[in-house]
């Protein structure tokens, strides 16, 4: 009875211990199973190498324009015509009708000489002509009556011709007593005063024709045939004024020392603002070419040593284009060798190479 009573409590303790062990073991397993609810990490997705390495650039669509292919030269202006003012007859100056620096129209009087003696001589010469006419008529009447010979007729006729020649000479001198401007121009020099006595042919000043004005230059023999009469020339003067002229003369004989040809062009000068003997920068327009203009900083040298520029195709892939610079100006160059419309890389061209696909941001 005592042993049986002791077995009961021992069995109870053993069962209780087994139950606790099972709960601990099972609880931990359940806890572990319930706590492991986080989904397994996803496998990394492989990135597209082109997307990961895209370089950013700025680009601009530019269109070809016609640009003049020019021959730059230096020249100088000169008067289209120059006249030394000289009176054709001598005598006393009665009027000076112009002043130094004045614009004189063609046909205007410059000065007048004293013509009183000439006018008196003309009156006498006209009377003599009338007398000679009467004498010739009288001799002819005598000849018709066989009272005179044909020799006398010839003598009278010669006397009449002489009288008429004298009259004509005096009338021409009267016309020349007034000095007339043969063309419109500027009285550049004048040294004469009223009351001054001049001899025939005395130099009293100069008259310059400056509208249009002539510009002279020398072209290299390598451009013979490219510059001809009518060729357009863009002209810039030292005072900053611009003008357009056209070639009016090309020499047929080259300078043996410089191997150049002299050319002249005429430039409108309506306001007479362009003086003679000043320097002019000339651009002879030889032809016109379709070309693109952009900053010279965008030019590069390709692997073959040629001038090139980087552009983008429709897939934003970098293309290196060979170009030829045909004209350079202060802030841009003109090049040929590109399609009419092209996407030009303006920023970042130094960080990409031909064939790269880039992320392009286009400028307006």
């Amino acid at each position: 009875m005592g042993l049986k009573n002791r077995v009961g409590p021992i069995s109870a303790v053993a069962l209780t211990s087994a139950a606790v062990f099972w709960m601990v073991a099972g609880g931990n397993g359940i806890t572990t199973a319930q706590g492991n609810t986080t989904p397994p990490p996803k496998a990394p997705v492989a990135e597209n190498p082109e997307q990961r390495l895209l370089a950013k650039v700025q680009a601009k669509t530019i269109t070809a324009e016609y640009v003049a292919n020019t021959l730059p030269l230096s020249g100088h202006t000169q008067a289209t015509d120059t006249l030394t003012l000289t009176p054709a007859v001598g005598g006393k100056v009665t009027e000076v009708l112009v002043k130094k620096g004045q614009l004189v129209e063609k046909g205007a009087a410059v000065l007048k000489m004293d013509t009183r003696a000439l006018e008196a001589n003309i009156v006498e010469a006209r009377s003599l002509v009338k007398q000679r006419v009467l004498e010739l008529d009288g001799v002819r009447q005598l000849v018709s009556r066989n009272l005179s010979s044909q020799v006398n007729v010839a003598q009278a006729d010669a006397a009449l011709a002489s009288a008429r020649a004298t009259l004509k000479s005096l009338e021409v001198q009267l016309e020349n007593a007034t000095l007339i401007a043969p063309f419109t121009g500027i009285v550049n020099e004048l040294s004469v005063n009223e009351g001054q006595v001049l001899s025939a042919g005395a130099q009293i000043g100069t008259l310059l024709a400056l509208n249009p004005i002539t510009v002279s230059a020398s072209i290299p023999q390598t451009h013979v045939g490219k510059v001809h009469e009518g060729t357009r020339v863009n002209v810039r003067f030292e005072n900053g004024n611009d003008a357009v002229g056209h070639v009016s003369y090309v020499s047929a004989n080259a300078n043996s020392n410089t191997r150049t040809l002299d050319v002249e062009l005429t430039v409108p000068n309506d306001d007479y603002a362009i003086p003679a003997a000043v320097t002019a920068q000339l651009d002879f327009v030889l032809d016109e070419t379709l070309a693109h203009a952009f900053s010279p900083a965008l030019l590069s040298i390709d692997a073959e040593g040629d001038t090139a520029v980087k552009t983008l195709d429709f897939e934003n892939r970098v293309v290196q284009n060979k170009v030829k610079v045909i004209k350079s100006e202060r802030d841009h160059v003109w090049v040929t060798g590109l399609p009419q419309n092209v996407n030009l890389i303006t920023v970042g061209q130094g960080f990409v190479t031909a064939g790269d696909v880039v992320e392009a941001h286009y400028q307006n």
Side-chain angles (χ1 to χ4, degrees):
M1 200 56 192
L3 178 61
K4 185 178 179 180
N5 291 336
R6 285 196 296 270
V7 171
I10 293 173
S11 298
V13 172
L15 289 173
T16 301
S17 299
V20 172
F21 174 79
W22 177 82
M23 292 179 62
V24 171
N28 289 340
I30 293 173
T31 303
T32 301
Q34 291 177 347
N36 191 16
T37 58
T38 303
K42 294 182 179 180
V45 178
E47 296 183 8
N48 187 333
E50 290 188 352
Q51 293 178 346
R52 186 175 67 251
L53 300 176
L54 286 187
K56 295 182 179 180
V57 299
Q58 292 185 21
K60 182 179 183 180
T61 301
I62 60 174
T63 302
E65 301 177 14
Y66 278 102
V67 60
N69 182 21
T70 62
L71 170 64
L73 292 173
S74 180
H76 65 276
T77 61
Q78 62 185 43
T80 302
D81 203 354
T82 303
L83 174 70
T84 299
L85 298 173
T86 58
V89 297
K92 182 179 180 180
V93 178
T94 58
E95 288 184 88
V96 178
L97 303 172
V98 298
K99 60 182 180 179
K100 191 174 181 178
Q102 179 179 338
L103 175 64
V104 178
E105 297 293 334
K106 179 181 179 179
V110 176
L111 62 78
K112 292 183 178 181
M113 308 291 289
D114 187 349
T115 60
R116 289 176 295 179
L118 272 174
E119 291 171 351
N121 291 336
I122 288 173
V123 171
E124 181 182 1
R126 287 173 178 167
S127 297
L128 183 59
V129 168
K130 291 180 181 179
Q131 178 184 335
R132 297 298 186 227
V133 169
L134 293 174
E135 290 176 351
L136 178 59
D137 290 342
V139 171
R140 285 174 176 170
Q141 290 179 9
L142 292 175
V143 169
S144 66
R145 298 175 186 176
N146 294 324
L147 298 176
S148 183
S149 66
Q150 290 294 333
V151 174
N152 292 331
V153 173
Q155 291 176 344
D157 189 46
L160 174 58
S162 177
R164 285 174 173 169
T166 300
L167 174 60
K168 185 63 176 179
S169 176
L170 292 171
E171 288 174 342
V172 170
Q173 290 184 50
L174 182 62
E175 291 178 2
N176 291 338
T178 300
L179 181 57
I180 302 296
F183 54 79
T184 300
I186 300 292
V187 180
N188 194 55
E189 297 177 2
L190 189 65
S191 56
V192 64
N193 297 304
E194 291 183 6
Q196 186 175 348
V197 177
L198 301 175
S199 59
Q203 298 183 4
I204 63 169
T206 56
L207 182 67
L208 303 180
L210 299 177
N211 184 34
I213 196 166
T214 298
V215 182
S216 298
S218 297
I219 62 172
Q221 62 181 357
T222 54
H223 288 80
V224 172
K226 298 179 182 178
V227 176
H228 49 78
E229 186 174 343
T231 296
R232 183 166 63 92
V233 185
N234 298 322
V235 186
R236 166 159 288 192
F237 299 98
E238 293 299 320
N239 61 3
N241 290 341
D242 294 333
V244 175
H246 293 84
V247 173
S248 58
Y249 164 77
V250 179
S251 175
N253 184 35
N255 186 304
S256 59
N257 295 322
T258 62
R259 301 300 178 186
T260 58
L261 289 173
D262 292 336
V263 297
E264 294 179 356
L265 53 135
T266 54
V267 177
N269 191 23
D270 296 337
D271 56 0
Y272 290 85
I274 307 170
V278 298
T279 302
Q281 301 304 318
L282 313 176
D283 280 329
F284 290 79
V285 180
L286 306 182
D287 53 37
E288 290 187 328
T289 306
L290 272 175
H292 296 79
F294 51 79
S295 169
L298 302 182
L299 294 174
S300 61
I301 303 297
D302 63 14
E304 299 175 0
D306 297 320
T307 303
V309 68
K310 293 174 182 175
T311 62
L312 298 175
D313 63 13
F314 66 95
E315 294 180 337
N316 282 344
R317 192 178 302 274
V318 178
V319 179
Q320 193 166 42
N321 303 267
K322 295 181 187 294
V323 295
K324 180 182 179 181
V325 178
I326 63 171
K327 186 176 182 180
S328 298
E329 297 183 355
R330 179 176 301 175
D331 55 355
H332 60 271
V333 292
W334 293 87
V335 305
T336 58
L338 297 173
Q340 183 168 359
N341 296 303
V342 66
N343 300 322
L344 179 69
I345 300 178
T346 57
V347 177
Q349 70 276 10
F351 301 98
V352 295
T353 58
D356 290 349
V357 175
V358 299
E359 180 181 338
H361 299 273
Y362 284 86
Q363 302 170 355
N364 294 331

